[in-house]
Amino acid sequence: NAGVTQTPKFQVLKTGQSMTLQCAQDMNHNSMYWYRQDPGMGLRLIYYSASEGTTDKGEVPNGYNVSRLNKREFSLRLESAAPSQTSVYFCASSGGHDNEQFFGPGTRLTVL
Amino acid sequence: GQSLEQPSEVTAVEGAIVQINCTYQTSGFYGLSWYQQHDGGAPTFLSYNGLDGLEETGRFSSFLSRSDSYGYLLLQELQMKDSASYFCAVRGTGGFKTIFGAGTRLFVKA
């Protein structure tokens, strides 16, 4: 099992460009999450999907959109990137009663 | 609103015991989790408390008191590899929305 995979691992964008971060899990989990982590800080929830077909806003959803394409895949889109969106983005999934979340390796995004 | 507080840094010596505290304020509470993150890596799950009391997993234990909105992570027989950041996280409204603390950086010295 690959667990949670994310692409790309690194990305540099110019202000105003758009891009989609891809995430997939092979653990048959119902719930998936997108977080951002800034230097020296904790993870902040951008969006989550409790189950296939549903998405909800987290703490910091402005500037982002998500799509739960199917049970396996949950993508994050930046429509018009801004320097404030420079961060490390983590995707996670969970399926147990304890909500143990399994994280992908992260995408390191720089917006110039 | 929702917030979690934990110390920013803790230093301890190899072989010692260290406790990392976490206090929280949330609208709705479904459980407290702890995650470990090494520099450059992804967070990994350590433990979960849904009910009051102590949960033990090897060298790590976690405690929860819902009446005090307080929990802690206890690390015993510290090893150099335990040097990492530790995050508490609360499941809030609906049971899926998860809020993380800012993290505690643990330095283990020889």
Side-chain angles (χ1 to χ4, degrees), chain A residues 33 37 97 99-101 108, chain B residues 35 37 40 45 91 96 98:
Chain A
Y33 308 80
Q37 185 174 35
H97 76 281
N99 200 40
E100 174 182 352
Q101 295 188 23
R108 283 149 182 80
Chain B
Y35 288 80
Q37 185 181 30
F45 176 84
R91 296 172 65 190
F96 296 101
T98 304

Side-chain angles (χ1 to χ4, degrees), chain B residues 49-68:
Chain B
N49 293 76
L51 301 173
D52 291 353
L54 192 68
E55 294 284 340
E56 296 179 81
T57 308
R59 294 188 297 114
F60 294 177
S61 303
S62 58
F63 172 82
L64 174 65
S65 169
R66 289 175 294 172
S67 60
D68 295 322

Side-chain angles (χ1 to χ4, degrees), chain A residues 2 12 15 20 22-23 41 44 52-53 57 60-61 69 73-74 83 86-88 91 96 98 103 108 110:
Chain A
V12 179
T15 296
T20 300
Q22 306 286 355
C23 174
M41 295 181 68
R44 290 186 290 170
E52 186 179 356
K57 295 178 180 179
V60 289
L69 303 169
E73 298 171 287
F74 190 38
T86 292
S87 190
V88 180
C91 176
D98 60 2
F103 284 80
R108 283 149 182 80
T110 301

Side-chain angles (χ1 to χ4, degrees), chain A residues 6-90:
Chain A
Q6 292 183 237
T7 56
K9 285 188 169 52
F10 299 92
Q11 184 71 48
V12 179
L13 292 177
K14 294 181 179 178
T15 296
Q17 287 185 316
S18 62
M19 79 162 295
T20 300
L21 281 65
Q22 306 286 355
C23 174
Q25 52 94 7
D26 62 2
M27 295 173 283
N28 202 36
H29 285 166
N30 284 322
S31 303
M32 297 186 74
Y33 308 80
W34 275 105
Y35 296 92
R36 61 175 289 174
Q37 185 174 35
D38 299 308
M41 295 181 68
L43 298 116
R44 290 186 290 170
L45 183 64
I46 304 171
Y47 272 93
Y48 66 101
S49 171
S51 61
E52 186 179 356
T54 69
T55 60
D56 285 285
K57 295 178 180 179
E59 299 174 88
V60 289
N62 291 345
Y64 306 94
N65 285 301
V66 291
S67 295
R68 183 74 183 267
L69 303 169
N70 47 55
K71 193 170 186 179
R72 290 186 64 248
E73 298 171 287
F74 190 38
S75 63
L76 179 72
R77 182 160 179 83
L78 288 71
E79 290 291 351
S80 179
S84 61
Q85 294 178 304
T86 292
S87 190
V88 180
Y89 291 84
F90 288 102

Side-chain angles (χ1 to χ4, degrees), chain B:
Chain B
Q2 301 184 96
S3 65
L4 293 90
E5 289 191 16
Q6 51 182 129
S8 58
E9 283 187 13
V10 173
T11 301
V13 296
E14 205 172 8
I17 299 172
V18 70
Q19 179 173 313
I20 299 173
N21 299 319
C22 175
T23 58
Y24 59 87
Q25 281 187 306
T26 62
S27 54
F29 177 83
Y30 286 82
L32 181 71
S33 301
W34 289 91
Y35 288 80
Q36 179 192 60
Q37 185 181 30
H38 288 98
D39 285 347
T44 56
F45 176 84
L46 291 176
S47 68
Y48 172 79
N49 293 76
L51 301 173
D52 291 353
L54 192 68
E55 294 284 340
E56 296 179 81
T57 308
R59 294 188 297 114
F60 294 177
S61 303
S62 58
F63 172 82
L64 174 65
S65 169
R66 289 175 294 172
S67 60
D68 295 322
S69 297
Y70 163 76
Y72 66 72
L73 179 70
L74 192 73
L75 296 83
Q76 303 183 62
E77 301 172 16
L78 280 174
Q79 302 175 9
M80 298 298 288
K81 68 178 181 179
D82 297 329
S83 292
S85 293
Y86 293 83
F87 297 91
C88 58
V90 169
R91 296 172 65 190
T93 305
F96 296 101
K97 189 172 181 178
T98 304
I99 305 300
F100 280 75
T104 299
R105 182 91 178 192
L106 172 63
F107 297 94
V108 180
K109 301 191 300 185

